[in-house]
Structure formats: structure tokens, C-alpha cells
Amino acid sequence: MNRDANHLANSADRTGWSKYAKATGLALTCAAGLSQVCSISAAEPNQESHWPRWLKLSRVPQRSEVPTKPKPTANITATPKATPQHHEPQLPLAASAPEAHETTPIQTVSADIAADAPAAIAPIPVTVPPTPEEARAQADMLGMTLEMLVALADAHHPRLTAAYQQIQAAQGRAVQAGLYPNPVVATSSPQWDGNESQFNGFVSQEIVTAKKLKLDVAAIQREVSQAQFAWQQERFGILTALRQQYYSTLAAQSRVAVLTSLVQIAHHSRDVSRKLLDAGEGTRGDTLLFDIEVDRAEVALANAETVYRVGRRQLAILAAVPDMEIDRLAGDLDQKLQDYDLQELRFAIAAVNPQANIARLEIDRNSYRLRRAVVQPIPNIDIMGGYQRQVGVPQEDQGLFQVTMTVPLWNKNQGNIFAAEAELAGARADLNRVELDLGNQAADALQVYQTAGQLVDRYEVQILPKARETLNLTQQLYAQGQIDFLRLLQSQKTLLEAELARLEALEQRWISAAMIAGLLQTEHFP
């Protein structure tokens, strides 16, 4: 009798272990399926929304849906959002980027969990930027143009690559913020006592309530949009510096040509003065004065050549190709520029400038953070279900079920709600500060632009025509023998000095125009 009972007990143990193993395997399978379902519907996404097209391109940030002021109906050429060339950034060898037509895992997951994604805008036609060798060959034939330098900067500048990686990092944070909590799979033995032993396996899952994940993703997606605008701000900062240096160097190139002629006139004047002194018709003092004029003209020419040489080197550095040699520039300082009205300019800059858009997105982001802080006290629900096997005689199959939640009795997230409200108020004040700063920058640039333009107009309309007329009259009088050669040289010197002053005003006008174009985010300049 005892022998039969022991045999029955051993058989029950083997059967219990087999059922327990099957139950554990079933629990693990259910956990894997639950994890997959939760990862797909992580952020409670809107299935009709998608990530913008730029996510699958290389370094092409797009427009974000942010509240903007209505643009004024002014004749101001502005590009609301810069679209860079569709090419891969120059990344380090240790972390090279995928090809543009490939879809990375982070992009695949992003497409699944993205909610409230900003709409994309149509990119500009794709153009392949020139290599430094191609740009140098073209510059040798025609001279280096501003468009060549901009294309080189877009292709090679490390600041753009760094800003692009910040966009990628923000995308990764947005993906992570929307991922659902992982389920917990466990097994235990509440009682280990021979025929009275119990073994169980269970799965628990935290259910996130109050759309907390969706609010987290929405807040971080504003950071993604801010990173896009930061990329745009970085690019136009590079373009503004490049444009200003280009026209400054172009003015230096013209200044060298004018000063070369001025040095030649100074040498002629000194030679004539020495001949008059040798003939007994001049004085030693006149000769010394002309010697001083020669020294001054040569120093001015040497300084202009230094500025021109260093300026060309700075252009290569700003274009991110520091080893490229630039022989000469091809440009027109006399090209006409448009007029601006300060009030219209101020509103246009506030509407399209990345600094203002980043500030508006910061208000939007803090608004979501406040909403997230408000729903934080709403407890998440933890659901547990499992199976328990009791071996022995008699054998028993038992089910396990448990629901737990935190009771927000004392901690209702009051402090974080108060902090979020303060940050939101500060973000609104910061937008006003940014708009005032941009308006002040616009006023400063416009002041220089208009004063330099008035000076250029005065020289072109009044001073230079008079200087040319004086030179023509002096040449006629000299041909008739009524004046000496020194008077003729003095007229030529006056004309060249007026031209130098006009070049100085033109340089200041172009530098301020480049600043205004940068504030307006103007893609095509001039």
C-alpha cells in the first residue's frame, strides 16, 4: 500500500513539473507578445501622422508647425526656412552616416511612434556641391564667386555636421520618450516542502494612463524642431560671415587696384618735382612733400595688399576648405540693392528668424511640460497575472491576478507644477526679449546700410562726376600749356581718392546688407 502511494506521489511530481514548465513557457510567450504590442503603440500615436521627409534625407531640416506672426506685405525678399543641399555630411570615419536612400532603425521606430509631427515642405532641387579642386579650377578661369563658396561651406563645414547630429540626438530622445515600459516576467516558489510545494510564474505590466507618453513625446518633438531651427541659425550664421568677408575682400581687391594707380601718380609727381628742383624752378620743400606722399601711398597699398591676401585666406577658412588657394574674386560691388523700411523689416525678421521660432517652440514645449506635470499625479496601473501549480496529493492548478496603483495622497506633484508654470511664463517673456533683440539688430544694420547708401549715392551723383570733370578740364589746360604737370597729377589723385572713399562706403553697405539678409534668412543673396 505504501509502495503504491509513493509511486503515485512521484508520478504527480513529474506531472506537476511538466505542467509548470509549460505554464512558464506560455507566460514568457505572452510577455513577448505583450512587449511587442506595447512597443508598437508606445506613445498612443496618431496613426495618420508621419515624420517629415527630411528624416530620411541627410542634413535637411524642415519647417515646424509653430505659431508665427503674419508676415507683412512688404517688398522684402526673405526665405522663411533654408533648405540645404541633399548630400551626406562629412562625418568622422568612426561614425559615418548611412546613405541617403537607406532607412536606419531609429527612423523606422520614429515613424511608428511619432505623434503631432511637423509637416514637411518641398525641398529645393538637388544640386551637387563642387569639390575644392573643381571650385579652384573654375575660379582660375572666371574668379571665385560667392555661390561657389556657399556650396563649399554647405558641403564641408563641420558646424553644420555638428548641428545636424544635434537633430539626430533630439530624434533619439523623442523615440525613447515614447517607448512603453517593459513587462516584468517572474517565477517563484512560495512554498518548497515536498508534496506540499508550490511553483508559479507570472507577468506584470505597467499601464501608463492620462496620455503621459504622448505628452512626453510632444514636448521632446518641440526640441527636435528647435534643433532644426538651430541648424538653420547655424547655417545662416556661416553664410552671413562668408558673405560679409566676401564683399569685404572684393572691396579690398578693388582698393588694391586704385591704390596701385595712386602710387604711380605719387611717383610721377615726385619725379617731376625733382626735375623742377634740378632745373632751379622748384624748392626742396616741395620735393620733400612729394616724397611723403609717395611713402603714404606705398604704405596704404601695402596695407591693402595685406588685407586682400588675408581676406582670401579667411574666405577659404570660412568655406571649410582652408587649404584652397583663391587668386581673385568675381563680383560686382556696383550691383543695386533694395531699400528697406525699419518697421516692415522688424516684423519680417521676427516672423522668420530662427531665434524667434526657437523661442516660440520653447513656449510650446513648456506648455506640454506643464500639462505633463498636471497629469503626473494620476496613478499608473500595474496589472499582474500568472499561474501557480501546487504539487502533491491532490494536485491543484491556481490562477494569480493582482492590480496595484499608487494613491496620490500627499505628493500631488505640486512643486513640479509650480515650476512648470514659472518656466512657461519665463519662456513667454523670453520671446519678447528675442524679438526686441532682433529689432535692435535690424535697426543697427539698417542704420549702417542707409548711411553708407547715402554716401555712395553722393559720391556717384555729385563728387565723382565733379572729380572727372575737373580731370578732363585739367587735361585740356595741360594740353594747351596753361598749367603744369603737377596740377594734372593732383587732379588724377583727387579722382582716385574719391574712388577710394566710395569703395569704403560700398564695403560698409554690402556688409550691412549681408547682416540684414542673415536676419531675414535670405537664401539667395544679393
Side-chain angles (χ1 to χ4, degrees):
M1 187 69 180
N2 292 336
R3 183 176 180 180
D4 292 340
N6 291 335
H7 177 73
L8 182 60
N10 291 335
S11 176
D13 288 343
R14 290 193 297 271
T15 303
W17 279 105
S18 177
K19 290 185 177 181
Y20 171 69
K22 291 181 179 180
T24 303
L26 179 61
L28 292 174
T29 302
C30 294
L34 180 61
S35 175
Q36 183 176 5
V37 171
C38 292
S39 64
I40 292 176
S41 59
E44 304 168 352
N46 180 359
Q47 298 298 328
E48 296 180 356
S49 64
H50 303 279
W51 280 95
R53 292 173 56 191
W54 64 263
L55 188 60
K56 298 183 180 180
L57 299 175
S58 61
R59 213 174 71 187
V60 188
Q62 301 293 340
R63 182 191 305 275
S64 299
E65 291 181 344
V66 297
T68 57
K69 293 185 178 181
K71 298 181 182 179
T73 57
N75 187 19
I76 295 179
T77 303
T79 302
K81 184 80 176 206
T83 307
Q85 308 295 338
H86 297 183
H87 53 78
E88 197 59 35
Q90 302 295 320
L91 299 178
L93 295 178
S96 59
E99 295 183 1
H101 64 273
E102 295 181 354
T103 302
T104 62
I106 195 72
Q107 294 170 353
T108 303
V109 177
S110 299
D112 291 334
I113 72 165
D116 299 329
I121 60 174
I124 61 175
V126 177
T127 57
V128 179
T131 63
E133 293 76 13
E134 293 172 346
R136 174 61 193 273
Q138 188 174 359
D140 289 341
M141 295 185 296
L142 305 175
M144 182 65 70
T145 64
L146 180 59
E147 289 74 14
M148 297 179 193
L149 294 171
V150 169
L152 290 172
D154 277 338
H156 304 289
H157 210 293
R159 285 167 56 185
L160 295 181
T161 301
Y164 170 75
Q165 295 304 325
Q166 291 299 318
I167 299 176
Q168 299 294 303
Q171 292 171 4
R173 290 192 295 271
V175 170
Q176 187 62 37
L179 298 180
Y180 220 79
N182 290 323
V184 177
V185 179
T187 182
S188 67
S189 177
Q191 182 173 302
W192 195 298
D193 187 15
N195 291 341
E196 303 296 329
S197 298
Q198 295 176 343
F199 304 94
N200 59 41
F202 57 89
V203 178
S204 65
Q205 174 65 55
E206 180 184 4
I207 306 301
V208 182
T209 61
K211 298 184 179 181
K212 296 175 184 175
L213 293 181
K214 187 172 183 178
L215 292 174
D216 287 336
V217 171
I220 298 184
Q221 280 180 348
R222 271 60 190 175
E223 295 182 9
V224 175
S225 298
Q226 286 177 319
Q228 297 172 29
F229 279 112
W231 182 95
Q232 180 183 350
Q233 182 179 356
E234 194 72 31
R235 179 174 181 266
F236 274 95
I238 295 172
L239 291 186
T240 299
L242 188 59
R243 290 164 176 171
Q244 289 179 331
Q245 185 61 46
Y246 177 83
Y247 282 103
S248 179
T249 307
L250 185 61
Q253 178 176 278
S254 301
R255 193 177 293 111
V256 167
V258 175
L259 286 172
T260 300
S261 300
L262 192 61
V263 168
Q264 295 175 355
I265 292 175
H267 278 283
H268 284 308
S269 300
R270 184 182 62 181
D271 294 341
V272 171
S273 176
R274 288 178 177 176
K275 292 179 180 178
L276 291 175
L277 179 62
D278 294 339
E281 297 181 4
T283 63
R284 175 62 177 169
D286 293 338
T287 304
L288 292 176
L289 289 176
F290 283 114
D291 287 338
I292 294 174
E293 288 293 330
V294 170
D295 294 337
R296 291 176 58 186
E298 289 179 345
V299 168
L301 177 60
N303 291 339
E305 290 175 342
T306 301
V307 171
Y308 180 44
R309 181 176 62 255
V310 175
R312 287 177 295 170
R313 177 56 54 202
Q314 287 179 313
L315 280 176
I317 295 173
L318 289 172
V321 282
D323 296 330
M324 184 179 66
E325 295 292 337
I326 301 176
D327 293 332
R328 63 187 183 88
L329 303 179
D332 184 12
L333 288 173
D334 294 323
Q335 186 173 352
K336 296 299 181 181
L337 296 173
Q338 68 182 94
D339 295 327
Y340 299 100
D341 177 76
L342 178 58
Q343 192 71 359
E344 295 174 347
L345 182 64
R346 185 172 64 86
F347 280 110
I349 291 174
V352 301
N353 194 274
Q355 295 183 47
N357 286 325
I358 289 173
R360 295 187 185 99
L361 282 167
E362 184 66 14
I363 296 175
D364 205 14
R365 186 179 75 91
N366 280 285
S367 177
Y368 278 105
R369 290 183 61 188
L370 176 58
R371 292 170 57 186
R372 178 63 176 83
V374 170
V375 301
Q376 176 63 26
I378 300 176
N380 294 339
I381 300 175
D382 197 308
I383 300 177
M384 184 271 287
Y387 165 81
Q388 180 168 286
R389 175 70 177 178
Q390 179 170 329
V391 300
V393 181
Q395 302 176 4
E396 294 183 357
D397 295 323
Q398 300 173 348
L400 303 177
F401 181 74
Q402 176 180 288
V403 177
T404 60
M405 60 179 288
T406 302
V407 179
L409 185 58
W410 295 289
N411 181 3
K412 299 179 181 179
N413 208 36
Q414 301 97 316
N416 288 333
I417 293 175
F418 181 81
E421 290 174 345
E423 290 175 351
L424 179 58
R428 288 170 177 160
D430 190 63
L431 174 59
N432 294 332
R433 178 195 62 80
V434 170
E435 290 178 344
L436 291 175
D437 289 345
L438 290 174
N440 188 46
Q441 295 179 38
D444 290 341
L446 187 59
Q447 176 187 358
V448 177
Y449 179 79
Q450 290 180 341
T451 54
Q454 292 171 2
L455 191 57
V456 169
D457 293 339
R458 179 63 63 89
Y459 271 99
E460 292 179 348
V461 174
Q462 297 183 12
I463 299 177
L464 282 174
K466 292 178 181 179
R468 294 189 184 99
E469 183 180 0
T470 301
L471 178 60
N472 291 332
L473 292 175
T474 305
Q475 289 174 341
Q476 295 175 7
L477 293 175
Y478 176 76
Q480 298 173 3
Q482 299 183 18
I483 59 174
D484 56 18
F485 186 63
L486 290 177
R487 293 283 299 276
L488 176 61
L489 294 178
Q490 184 63 35
S491 299
Q492 294 176 349
K493 177 184 175 183
T494 300
L495 177 61
L496 292 177
E497 288 177 344
E499 181 63 28
L500 285 175
R502 188 184 75 95
L503 284 175
E504 183 71 23
L506 277 173
E507 179 182 357
Q508 294 301 317
R509 189 184 190 192
W510 278 104
I511 290 176
S512 57
M515 175 61 71
I516 294 174
L519 292 173
L520 285 171
Q521 308 293 283
T522 303
E523 179 69 24
H524 301 288
F525 177 82

